[in-house]
Amino acid sequence: MMSNINNYFVDNAKVMAKGQITLPKDIRLVLGVGTGDRVTLICEGDRVVLMNSAVYAMKMLQKEMEGEAEKAGLHSDDDVVNMIMEMRAEDKE
């Protein structure tokens, strides 16, 4: 039985003999995972957060890249366009 409380889902799954669980369909849909996809489990104290591994990897990359644009002197879209134009010009030389 699933219920939606304040924009999050509460559902149950039974742990089988080998520690396997079946993710309920509604949870799979929200996570965007299907057969063969990978999920990431993050333990926070006495609870576990389950995420689509691709989404988790992207969030970690975004976190690691935070501030790098400013370090490279990229403060606007125009700065990015100018950098690309300069790189293309160097490739042509």
Side-chain angles (χ1 to χ4, degrees):
M1 179 178 118
M2 184 190 73
S3 62
N4 184 345
I5 303 170
N6 297 325
N7 204 25
Y8 65 89
F9 292 97
V10 177
D11 207 337
N12 295 301
K14 183 178 181 180
V15 179
M16 304 307 281
K18 293 183 180 181
Q20 297 170 325
I21 63 168
T22 298
L23 294 177
K25 182 179 179 181
D26 290 328
I27 300 294
R28 293 192 312 267
L29 290 172
V30 169
L31 292 177
V33 296
T35 303
D37 289 339
R38 299 192 63 84
V39 294
T40 298
L41 302 163
I42 305 159
C43 188
E44 296 178 339
D46 63 348
R47 62 188 198 157
V48 174
V49 175
L50 180 103
M51 295 181 69
N52 178 321
S53 290
V55 172
Y56 177 74
M58 183 58 70
K59 287 183 181 230
M60 291 300 100
L61 178 61
Q62 287 173 335
K63 185 176 180 181
E64 288 179 23
M65 295 302 294
E66 193 172 313
E68 291 300 316
E70 288 80 15
K71 289 180 191 174
L74 304 173
H75 303 286
S76 69
D77 290 345
D78 288 338
D79 291 341
V80 174
V81 170
N82 290 335
M83 181 186 76
I84 292 169
M85 291 175 71
E86 288 172 13
M87 292 173 77
R88 287 180 178 166
E90 289 174 7
D91 285 345
K92 289 182 180 180
E93 292 175 2

